[in-house]
Amino acid sequence: MNIDTVMQKVHTLAAPVFAIGAMFLLSLFSLATTPAAAATAVITNERSGDLILMNESGDTIDVIPLCSRPRGMARNSTDNTLYIACSDDGEVLEFNFNTKEVDRVFSKLSGAMSLALHHPSNRLLVSNEGAARATVINLLNAEVLATLETGHEPDGVVFSKEGDLIFVASENAGMVHVYDGNTYQPIKRLITNLRPRRLAVRENELWVSSEMGSRVEIFDTASLIKKDEIIFAPRGFRSEQLTPVDILFDQTGSTAFIALGSANHVVIVDAANRKILKYILVGRRPWGLGLTEDGKRLFVLNGLSDDVTIINTDNRRPVRTSRAGLVPHSVEIIE
Amino acid sequence: MLLAFMFTSSIHANTIDITVVTAAAEDRKSAGKSFAGITVIPDRPVQRAVELALYESAILFETLEVEAKLHQLQLSGDSNLESQLSNTPTGGMLILDLPAAQMKTVARQANAMQRVAINVRHSDSNLRESLCLPYIFHTIPSDRMYFDALGQFLIYRGWRKVLLVQGPTTEDTVRAESMVKSLKKFGVTIVDQRTFTLSHHPDDRDENKPEFLTGGVSYDVVAVIDTQKDYGRYLQYSTRSARPVVGDVGLTPASWHFALERYGAPQLNERYRRFKSDITPGPQVAMTDAEFAAWSAVKLVTNSLNTRPPGTELDVMSLLHDPASQVDLYKGTRGSMRHWNHQLRQPILLTTPDTVVAVAPMPKFLHPKHYVDTLGIDEPESGCQLPPNAQQ
């Protein structure tokens, strides 16, 4: 993928049309219906190969053609840099949100799927879906620090808060690989229920969504032993229809949001006592989740209905469902 | 002759033994060829799919310190079946890659010798009743599962009037009975049931010319039972009324397909194409339903290790009977064993040669207990009533 060409397309085609549209929409609706909407949701769309920028009210403000099959993202909150996995190109793009330019391209990352950033150590973790491995990159000099062997179909990746542990989920093997974050030596393989997809860390806990096991499993990050699990049961669904994928914690780590895939619901969970607070009906096959910094708006990406449901987390109700690109995958919120 | 691969030590506490049982060369029929010699049914041994499943699970075996051994038993007509089967390890699993008649004989003998044996090739619903035996399991869907999926699809589309056209063989008749039961179960009306002939004689034109065979009656679709796939493929675009064709041609129920693009299926298809292949086959090559059934059988055992408390004995019979044993089938809904007739429950794909049109169960077909149990013979209607824990 030639970045110059891509950026040219953005400026000549997408920008004027959508800028005018966005200004029109903003003046008509947004300012009148919501308080100053500062946050922008950036959404990758797998099949249309683009990014959509959306304001908190759900209005599309820009569409940026990007690459082949953009999927996972990671955000550096200090400088509004986004890292975007372009799976079919085998590349990760460093996208500067302020300038809307691609500043760097990390290539030779076959099947790049999910990303995690450890900001203090400037490291990016990439799962390589087709290649049964994960790659750790030093963002300062773009060097590959380590290649970590995994089971087939690695997906979710996460660093521990201190960066001393690396976790990679292998969907096919049904396990989470634990690597030392400094030496990159394997520490343990955590056996999970079927098809572990996404990982999230809070306090001393690793949360793992088991898509085909219809549950979230919780491991202690110190002992690396499973300590708990959460089983879901929204009304009118059989257990096997519940296919959890994305897990997202709020700023304090006290509330968890989990997208339930085929069950077309998002669930809000009290993270400390595992109590289910609310099931919220969204679009078809929700996977990707994003939360505004104030925690008031949850963006839910519905992969099979090509839309985004925005949820008011105060009253736990959907506010609006807006059109996304084709097969929206991941969302990051820039304030 | 029993051949073993991939073993390092002869006795291991945590061993899973899998034996692929094949027929002697002279007993393998040359299926899948039409009169003109065109290959219409891909018919491959299931061995490679079994090896793929073990390859996928290698890292799990290593982690759990389980040793998987793959054996091959090619039956010989010369020696006694019991003595041939007695060479297979106890506590393991036999995958029966055999023609129907021989599969039945071997299954009964295996059951008598307390060897778990899996039917991966034969969808005949009656086998789920006639082979109602504690050690016998079926991972290939039954015809009732396939046709229930089709029946749900027809009702979902509002195509309620069906002209059923079937072949003249006994197998065609048996399968047509399954189809009629399935279609009627969901409220489809069979407006007429007709039999085609392969004869080209002018006197037989009511049975050999598609325009005549499908004329004189009103219908929404033509359903075809043509097990040999020799005549039915000429029906599409030649029916008297402009109507879709479903069944063994046109819209066909299947358990696996190259064009399934969700649920991780592209990864499995890609892995299959590259696995142990000198040339990576084209993108339209995928596991046959028999291969997928063999892959599913091994994966059911290996996936069940994920939910098994560590340190428990790895006896295939107890793994298959554990209600917690589940398998990720890359079809959006996990599979598991129906305890009453030992049939692997799973979603069914409704396919054409180039796409997956739908994945059954179709919306609004609900079951009180299990999401996919609207497909196939349900517990109350089954003539086979094996207990939930059939272990002796």
Side-chain angles (χ1 to χ4, degrees), chain A residues 9-36:
Chain A
K9 264 190 235 161
V10 175
H11 292 303
T12 54
L13 296 173
V17 175
F18 284 93
I20 293 164
M23 278 160 57
F24 179 70
L25 285 170
L26 276 168
S27 60
L28 266 184
F29 304 109
S30 309
L31 296 176
T33 53
T34 56

Side-chain angles (χ1 to χ4, degrees), chain A residues 153 174 195 214 238 240, chain B residues 271 306 328 330 334 367 371:
Chain A
E153 298 164 36
R195 192 161 276 261
S214 307
R238 304 283 177 269
E240 52 275 9
Chain B
R271 210 158 36 237
N306 281 65
D328 178 1
Y330 289 71
R334 60 183 181 260
H367 189 276
Y371 175 61

Side-chain angles (χ1 to χ4, degrees), chain A residues 47 129 151-153 172-175 177 189 191-195 212-214 238-241 304, chain B residues 55-56 59-60 62-63 261-262 267 271 299 303 306-307 326 328 330 332 334 367-371:
Chain A
R47 185 168 278 181
E129 190 187 23
H152 294 288
E153 298 164 36
N172 178 284
M175 62 177 64
H177 297 263
R189 296 169 185 162
I191 302 293
T192 68
N193 211 298
L194 299 188
R195 192 161 276 261
M212 284 294 122
S214 307
R238 304 283 177 269
S239 162
E240 52 275 9
Q241 289 171 286
L304 293 188
Chain B
Y55 161 74
E56 287 180 358
I59 195 164
L60 185 71
E62 188 191 301
T63 310
E261 56 176 348
R262 303 215 177 277
Q267 276 79 38
R271 210 158 36 237
K299 291 290 281 193
N303 277 180
N306 281 65
T307 52
Q326 312 272 342
D328 178 1
Y330 289 71
R334 60 183 181 260
H367 189 276
K369 288 187 180 163
H370 200 291
Y371 175 61

Side-chain angles (χ1 to χ4, degrees), chain B residues 99-133:
Chain B
Q102 202 174 2
M103 191 279 289
K104 284 184 239 179
T105 312
V106 174
R108 290 203 177 91
Q109 183 62 49
N111 184 70
M113 296 168 70
Q114 302 192 347
R115 300 290 200 281
V116 170
I118 318 279
N119 165 30
V120 296
R121 208 168 254 292
H122 304 287
S123 58
D124 180 356
S125 302
N126 297 327
L127 288 175
R128 277 68 182 163
E129 319 244 313
S130 62
L131 287 180
C132 180
L133 301 168

